[in-house]
Amino acid sequence: MLKFILKRILQAVPILIGISLVAFILLQLTPGGPTAAYRGIANIRGEDLARIEAELGYDRPIIIQYFSWLGQFITGDWGISFVARRPVFGLIMERLPATLLLMAAGITVSLIISVPLGLLAAIKRDTWVDHTLTFTSFVGLSIPVFWLGLMLIIVFSVWLGWFPTGGMGPPGEEFGILTRLKYLTLPTTAVSMVSLSFFTRYLRASMIETMDEEYMRFSKARGLPPVRRYMRHAFRNAGIPFVTVVAIHIPEFLVGALVVETIFTWPGTGRLFWDSALRFDYPVLMGVLVLGSLMVLLSNLLADVLYGQLDPRVRLD
Amino acid sequence: MKRMAILFAVLALVAAACGGGSGGDTETTTSTAAPAATGGGDTVTTSSAAPTSERPGGILTVGLFQEPDNLNPFLAVQTASRIIRDLVLEGLVDADPGGNFIPELSAVPSAADGTISADGLTVTYNLVDGVTWSDGHPFTSADVKFTWETVMNDANAVTTQKGYDVIASIDTPDDQTVVVTYSELYSPALSLFSIPEAILPAHVLEGATFGEAEFNRIPEGTGPFMVTAWDSGQSIILDANPNYRDPSRPLLDRIVFKIIPDQNAGIAQMRTGDIDVFWNVDSGVVEQFQNMDGVTVQVTPSSNVEYLGLNLSSGSDPAQPHFAFGDSNVRKALAMAIDRTPIIEDLLFGLSEAATSPIGLGWASPEGLSNPPYDPDGARALLEAAGWVDSGDGIREKDGQRLTLEISTPTGQQVRELTEQVLQEQFKAVGIELVINNVPAATLFGNWAENGKLQRGDFDIAMDTWGPDLDPAGFLSILFDSASIPQDPGGQGWNFFRLQSDKLDKAIADGASTLDLEARKAAYRIAVQEILDAGVYIPLYKRSKLDAFNNRVVGYSPNPWGEVTWNAEEWTINN
């Protein structure tokens, strides 16, 4: 098992290098360039732009820039943000906890709600319970996240005043876990809505497929109590692909966080990426891109490992 | 089942760990700040040394849709940066709402008292007494000299060295006197070290470069406020500077700048009272702020003018005239076909006024200018006389060429897109077909190597906003001087009209050849008249700055030359 994980991590290295090379070149190809934000300011002359680009090394050939970036990146020096003039690593690391918190909350809430609902829908297949759940799932799947976010703010913050409109906490004050939960509620709802519906649908389908198996009918014929049949026999089997899907789905929460973070002024990496893209801040964009790719690769690895753990027929080596 | 339970447990742990972790961070960051919250306002002032009796105190929250890039005046380009750092850092002089220089850290040098030499090459600053940095360290002439040396050190990669690179030397005969000697006349000399820049603290930055300096984020200043915390992506907190030279200012204890990247979220937070001020309201949502109880939208004029720029050339070669705009009568007809009233009244809710000049505000703005009156009949007659006749479908043609013109502006800006549609109708009424071809800003404003449409002359009409700084010298020369016509290789100027006029070039040069304001005014009047007569620059309207204020905020007054917080030390909060 350890060997498998090590092997996969080693395989990830060339993939990450490939991704970073493509990303680096694509960024360089976009019109604008690092000094784009400076153009059109009457006081900033051509010679100023040339001086800045030379000082920051942007006048070198792209491939040299890339390898110099890569060399530094490996040693933990992710460069200096062109915009904030601060180390990129620190910039990202100070934003990462916020995004991880939002993702973790989103995943937890999605699972806590979708697992019982998915089971219920499958067990009560083709009844009004199932139809209602199917309908609400599709509604959840089709609501655009930014719209949902704004609606949540209008209803629960502006009209009812139950939750804050945004942020991670009251600025400049000390606060406890309850306050944090209050700030977390609306963004978590927004970020988990799509996944929640998706998980419910997936688990329902997976359960139904399992329940149609021979051994399920046999277990019923044996007279096993329903709880035991559904939980022990059906859910255990249906849960294996479900866990894989959930693990692979983790990066989706990162994408969702990008939108949600902007609406709820949540200070995470998604917003950092968005702001940096608007400002052509290459070093930060590269850092977030590589980190995002790493997260996708790790999620896939996690999916494989969990699959091996849950399904005795699968052996990883 | 057991394994699923473990998975849940792990996820829950991760969530708890993250929650605890970042919560801890927030506390450590803010513990450096004075305590706030419930009754914290009093704690702030009593814990500091400043006399408190006449200061009403209070905490104000401002919503910013943009997070500042950094707070270093020589690195930052974002307006949000200036909104905050102008409360912390100060220049030698400042500008009042009328665009006149006023003292800040120094008296205003003038030719009258000899602090500007007769040849304009020596400027003497007499610094204000008793100024200290917020850490109590005295402010002296050495700080001014240090600022110049820092700007000229290439390792700092500052945004611009313009003006600073024509300073020959800076002498500091004593702590209160700075003598700046220029190697050549630099007409905007008084803006240097001041607008939009500021003086740097030598005792903090000595021996370091800007590279990763903490100063870029938490600058040490002489202003009424000081930065005490910056939670990335969330908020920047400014507290009253206890060492500020006027002990009765600022009136507030603390200003919290909350980063709210979304206009709709800003509307919601204004409505719940989470923020007291929202900076830079989109004209598209201004009605929502206006309709809120207890909220006023403040309209501040700005020097930025929305205009149409006409391309005189066919492509990038100024020697090849444009098929339609090569004829001055067509340019004149275009100007006469425009009715600004529906644009201003319907699209801008009457919150802007018509522009008549590229320099719409300030000491250099010529008085008494007016646009050619809206006269579609006159426009038709001019086009007819120029040989453009109806081709049968209402659109004119000449020598088999239809009078079809393309208008370009950066994509994604609703008011501009609607303005284009209004112009489309108005031009059609006189027989001109207007085709809208909007492109991303980077494509329109890209440089020569990136095939920027303006640089390459790949457009007929551009709709853009630009305006001069307090000193219009740089603006006029980069936009209208014939030396600024973009050309291969790597053209750097922005005279994308490809306007060539000796008279204009001379007026721009004259305006920059003296520090005598009256002589400069006269030169710029000639320059502006020349630009308007050429008909390549059609001013549409003055861009207004719109900021929403809760009515409990008292003391704001508009200043076109400062940002929304320019006089925030005078603000108070009525509870």
Side-chain angles (χ1 to χ4, degrees), chain A residues 31-32 38-46 48 51-52 55 80 83-87 94-95 100-101 104 107 111 150 153 157-158 165-166 168-169 171-175 180 235 243 262-263 265 267 271 279 309-310, chain B residues 3-4 8 11 15 19 22 27 30 37 67 69-70 75 77-78 154-162 165 211-212 216-217 232-235 237 254 256 259-261 264-265 268-269 271-272 274 447 450 466 469 492:
Chain A
Y38 290 5
R39 280 201 211 113
I41 298 178
N43 271 334
I44 301 181
R45 305 156 298 177
D48 288 313
R51 173 178 51 78
I52 294 166
E55 192 57 43
I80 291 181
V83 168
R85 304 285 178 117
R86 295 173 64 214
E94 85 187 2
R95 299 292 197 102
L100 288 179
L101 173 62
I107 294 168
L111 288 178
L150 286 174
I153 292 178
S157 303
V158 178
T165 47
M168 269 186 93
E173 293 173 31
E174 293 185 20
F175 56 90
R180 171 55 53 85
F235 183 44
V243 167
T262 304
I263 295 170
T265 63
R271 251 184 68 204
R279 299 170 185 180
Q309 287 289 298
L310 294 173
Chain B
R3 284 186 181 123
M4 289 297 278
F8 278 114
L11 282 171
S22 53
E27 277 147 32
T30 47
E67 182 165 13
D69 33 6
N70 58 70
L75 299 181
V77 290
Q78 303 222 296
D154 281 355
N156 287 320
V158 299
T159 49
T160 178
Q161 295 175 335
K162 191 179 178 194
D165 56 5
E212 302 170 17
N216 300 340
R217 200 166 160 82
S232 293
Q234 294 196 79
S235 61
I237 295 174
R254 168 176 282 197
V256 177
I259 318 297
I260 305 167
N264 290 306
Q269 299 215 9
R271 209 167 264 159
T272 55
D274 285 353
N447 63 25
E450 292 158 356
W466 209 342
D469 295 330
Q492 288 167 348

Side-chain angles (χ1 to χ4, degrees), chain A residues 48-95:
Chain A
D48 288 313
L49 296 179
R51 173 178 51 78
I52 294 166
E53 287 184 355
E55 192 57 43
L56 302 179
Y58 288 112
D59 56 344
R60 298 169 299 168
I62 291 180
I63 204 72
I64 303 229
Q65 286 187 47
Y66 173 72
F67 281 109
S68 130
W69 172 83
L70 186 66
Q72 289 175 334
F73 190 86
I74 289 167
T75 59
D77 175 5
W78 292 18
I80 291 181
S81 158
F82 183 66
V83 168
R85 304 285 178 117
R86 295 173 64 214
V88 170
F89 187 78
L91 267 177
I92 294 179
M93 286 309 145
E94 85 187 2
R95 299 292 197 102

Side-chain angles (χ1 to χ4, degrees), chain B residues 260-446:
Chain B
I260 305 167
D262 184 84
Q263 288 269 340
N264 290 306
I267 294 169
Q269 299 215 9
M270 198 77 195
R271 209 167 264 159
T272 55
D274 285 353
I275 55 174
D276 304 299
V277 179
F278 190 72
W279 166 62
N280 205 336
V281 173
D282 261 4
S283 35
V285 295
V286 67
E287 271 192 313
Q288 298 197 48
F289 283 100
Q290 284 175 321
N291 292 339
M292 268 181 228
D293 284 338
V295 170
T296 305
V297 174
Q298 295 280 359
V299 184
T300 308
S302 87
S303 69
N304 280 325
V305 171
E306 184 84 11
Y307 67 94
L308 300 182
L310 275 46
N311 187 358
L312 285 179
S313 311
S314 160
S316 66
D317 182 1
Q320 302 292 324
H322 187 270
F323 77 94
F325 296 146
D327 183 344
S328 67
N329 282 325
V330 177
R331 309 198 292 267
K332 215 175 281 173
L334 209 65
M336 287 160 71
I338 297 172
D339 181 10
R340 292 170 180 77
T341 313
I343 299 170
I344 290 168
E345 293 306 321
D346 301 336
L347 302 183
L348 301 164
F349 305 104
L351 295 173
S352 288
E353 50 180 301
T356 53
S357 154
I359 306 177
L361 275 178
W363 59 265
S365 173
E367 281 159 23
L369 295 176
S370 63
N371 291 312
Y374 171 54
D375 179 7
D377 288 329
R380 283 185 206 104
L382 269 177
L383 289 170
E384 206 78 37
W388 292 94
V389 290
D390 194 339
S391 64
D393 61 354
I395 303 301
R396 293 168 190 278
E397 66 175 14
K398 181 183 178 181
D399 307 331
Q401 172 118 29
R402 272 169 79 82
L403 193 45
T404 302
L405 299 167
E406 205 176 81
I407 186 167
S408 300
T409 200
T411 43
Q413 303 189 29
Q414 202 194 358
V415 171
R416 281 181 163 172
E417 283 163 6
L418 293 172
T419 305
E420 286 176 327
Q421 290 169 30
V422 171
L423 292 175
Q424 212 169 24
E425 289 300 311
Q426 295 180 354
F427 287 175
K428 198 177 172 188
V430 299
I432 301 172
E433 185 177 41
L434 190 66
V435 176
I436 298 173
N437 179 20
N438 295 338
V439 293
T443 311
L444 191 62
F445 301 118

Side-chain angles (χ1 to χ4, degrees), chain A residues 201-219:
Chain A
R201 297 295 305 156
Y202 190 88
L203 187 60
R204 174 188 178 275
S206 185
M207 276 292 283
I208 285 176
E209 203 181 304
T210 315
M211 279 155 60
D212 286 344
E213 296 280 346
E214 288 281 327
Y215 62 83
M216 284 303 293
R217 267 185 283 151
F218 178 64
S219 70

Side-chain angles (χ1 to χ4, degrees), chain A residues 25-47:
Chain A
I25 291 173
L26 280 180
L27 283 179
Q28 300 283 342
L29 287 180
T30 43
T35 52
Y38 290 5
R39 280 201 211 113
I41 298 178
N43 271 334
I44 301 181
R45 305 156 298 177
E47 60 248 54

Side-chain angles (χ1 to χ4, degrees), chain B residues 218-274:
Chain B
I218 312 281
E220 179 75 44
T222 53
F225 288 90
M226 54 189 195
V227 181
T228 43
W230 182 339
D231 274 345
S232 293
Q234 294 196 79
S235 61
I236 298 174
I237 295 174
L238 267 59
D239 283 315
N241 169 8
N243 290 316
Y244 187 55
R245 57 185 171 278
D246 180 352
S248 66
R249 294 291 182 279
L251 300 176
L252 293 166
D253 288 327
R254 168 176 282 197
I255 301 182
V256 177
F257 290 92
K258 269 175 92 174
I259 318 297
I260 305 167
D262 184 84
Q263 288 269 340
N264 290 306
I267 294 169
Q269 299 215 9
M270 198 77 195
R271 209 167 264 159
T272 55
D274 285 353

